[in-house]
């Protein structure tokens, strides 16, 4: 059974840092593009960051310079280091994976999704 399981969410104050992890199991994701999406309260899910299997990274403008995506293919794990967190970063963060990085970044037909982890940033 293929699973993506996020961890590392929590409640922090503005300016703090968090690191999210996404552990993939059930198959190798070495050739997959992997990424993070988030859904703020009352809003639609939005793209945050993605990383391809060669290591090319993509970021939403709202997180550039503050968030860093990385992956450890040997551990089938992806990470999102989030620094200088703002209250507007509050959301449920989802891990995603797809063979196509363009499909992944579009978000509408992604092959695999995690169940989400809550990140809350207080002001």
């Amino acid at each position: 059974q293929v699973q993506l399981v996020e961890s590392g969410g929590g409640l922090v104050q503005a300016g703090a840092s968090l690191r999210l992890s996404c552990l993939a199991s059930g198959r190798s994701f070495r050739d997959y593009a992997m990424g993070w999406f988030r859904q703020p309260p009352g809003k639609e899910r939005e793209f945050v960051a993605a990383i391809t299997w060669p290591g090319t990274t993509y970021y939403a403008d709202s997180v550039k310079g503050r968030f860093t995506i990385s992956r450890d293919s040997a551990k089938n794990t992806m990470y999102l280091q989030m620094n200088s967190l703002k209250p507007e970063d509050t959301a449920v963060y989802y891990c995603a994976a797809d063979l196509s990085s363009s499909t992944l970044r579009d978000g509408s037909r992604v092959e695999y999704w995690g169940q989400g982890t809550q990140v809350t940033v207080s002001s």
Side-chain angles (χ1 to χ4, degrees):
Q1 181 183 1
V2 175
Q3 280 190 310
L4 300 178
V5 179
E6 303 94 335
S7 61
L11 171 62
V12 297
Q13 291 189 330
S17 298
L18 277 176
R19 188 176 83 154
L20 304 183
S21 299
C22 172
L23 175 62
S25 62
R27 64 157 298 146
S28 171
F29 284 83
R30 182 174 181 174
D31 296 333
Y32 275 66
M34 298 186 73
W36 294 94
F37 287 74
R38 66 186 182 187
Q39 186 165 17
K43 297 184 179 181
E44 294 185 354
R45 188 161 54 189
E46 61 186 22
F47 170 76
V48 175
I51 184 167
T52 67
W53 66 265
T56 303
T57 57
Y58 302 87
Y59 295 95
D61 288 343
S62 59
V63 306
K64 279 181 183 177
R66 299 188 298 123
F67 291 10
T68 302
I69 189 170
S70 61
R71 67 192 294 174
D72 185 335
S73 295
K75 296 181 179 179
N76 246 11
T77 302
M78 177 181 62
Y79 305 97
L80 185 68
Q81 178 66 42
M82 305 186 294
N83 299 329
S84 302
L85 282 162
K86 305 175 181 180
E88 50 263 45
D89 294 319
T90 295
V92 178
Y93 283 71
Y94 296 91
C95 172
D98 198 278
L99 278 172
S100 166
S101 65
S102 57
T103 298
L104 176 67
R105 284 177 280 139
D106 174 76
S108 60
R109 291 176 290 116
V110 171
E111 185 172 2
Y112 299 112
W113 288 99
Q115 83 290 348
T117 186
Q118 178 70 47
V119 172
T120 303
V121 184
S122 63
S123 56

